[in-house]
Amino acid sequence: MKRIFYVLIMSTGAILVLSQANAQSVEKKNAVKIEQDQSTKELQLSIEGMHCQSGCANGIDNMLKEQKGIVSSETFFDTSSSVIRYNSKAISEKEIIALIEDRGFKVKKKADQK
């Protein structure tokens, strides 16, 4: 009888310790996710000088996706625009714009056009 009581007590203690460790792990993951979300920014650009979707617009996207800090890039020839999500801790707006301008395009932030 004492053995069964001892096993039950030890099992309950182990479950409590594992539950607390799991809760702390989830809390850490959520804190990291919040930090990443706060450093992820969106940049909307107007791009002049593109001649087609496949070479120009897709070329910009492919080049940007190779850069550290770029989360996503969608460039559209038909609207002469680009929407870029990036980690502001890894790359800046100025760096992104300079990369596109180095390919021969004229770039303006959408907010700058007003």
Side-chain angles (χ1 to χ4, degrees):
M1 188 71 159
K2 285 184 179 180
R3 244 184 225 190
I4 294 172
F5 181 72
Y6 179 73
V7 169
L8 286 173
I9 294 291
M10 294 302 290
S11 298
T12 304
I15 290 170
L16 290 173
V17 168
L18 290 174
S19 295
Q20 185 173 1
N22 187 39
Q24 288 174 347
S25 175
V26 168
E27 190 175 308
K28 269 187 181 179
K29 286 179 185 176
N30 288 340
V32 169
K33 188 181 276 187
I34 289 169
E35 183 179 320
Q36 288 174 345
D37 290 345
Q38 291 174 347
S39 62
T40 300
K41 307 286 183 195
E42 184 174 281
L43 178 60
Q44 295 185 11
L45 302 173
S46 174
I47 302 175
E48 294 180 23
M50 291 190 290
H51 301 289
C52 63
Q53 181 67 43
S54 62
C56 298
N58 293 349
I60 290 169
D61 290 338
N62 292 334
M63 177 270 302
L64 288 176
K65 289 174 184 174
E66 293 175 359
Q67 306 302 313
K68 183 179 177 183
I70 299 295
V71 176
S72 66
S73 175
E74 293 181 299
T75 304
F76 305 98
F77 164 70
D78 57 343
T79 59
S80 299
S81 64
S82 186
V83 178
I84 302 157
R85 295 188 71 233
Y86 65 99
N87 181 321
S88 61
K89 292 181 180 180
I91 191 166
S92 70
E93 284 184 5
K94 288 181 181 183
E95 291 171 311
I96 294 169
I97 291 170
L99 287 166
I100 298 170
E101 288 177 338
D102 286 347
R103 293 182 68 91
F105 302 105
K106 185 174 179 182
V107 182
K108 292 182 184 175
K109 282 178 55 176
K110 291 265 182 155
D112 291 346
Q113 295 178 353
K114 295 179 181 180

